[in-house]
Amino acid sequence: MNDEQTKGAFDQVKGETKKQFGKLTDNESMEAEGRLDKGKGKLKETAGDLKEDVSRAFNNSARD
């Protein structure tokens, strides 16, 4: 797991927490912020996945 994947997973957890707290307290702004953070986290994690795939492909081709 690379740094981007870790940051993305953390942002998703943080976003879900904010979203749920916003629902609990009827705070629509916090709920929206949580959805935004969760979306950013998914993007970061996807970028990390791609980075990992490219690195793996490069390392495999270098061995051939």
Side-chain angles (χ1 to χ4, degrees):
M1 184 173 253
N2 63 35
D3 195 42
E4 287 296 314
Q5 290 167 318
T6 303
K7 287 179 183 177
F10 176 76
D11 283 348
Q12 287 182 61
V13 170
K14 179 176 75 170
E16 183 63 25
T17 302
K18 280 184 181 179
K19 187 177 103 179
Q20 293 303 322
F21 188 74
K23 280 184 179 182
L24 182 69
T25 61
D26 252 356
N27 185 336
E28 292 178 14
S29 176
M30 182 169 286
E31 198 175 332
E33 189 178 321
R35 282 193 300 272
L36 183 63
D37 285 349
K38 192 170 180 179
K40 285 181 188 178
K42 286 182 182 181
L43 286 174
K44 282 182 187 179
E45 191 171 29
T46 300
D49 292 343
L50 289 172
K51 195 175 185 181
E52 190 90 7
D53 291 343
V54 168
S55 177
R56 194 175 301 124
F58 178 76
N59 288 335
N60 287 339
S61 69
R63 289 185 208 146
D64 293 339

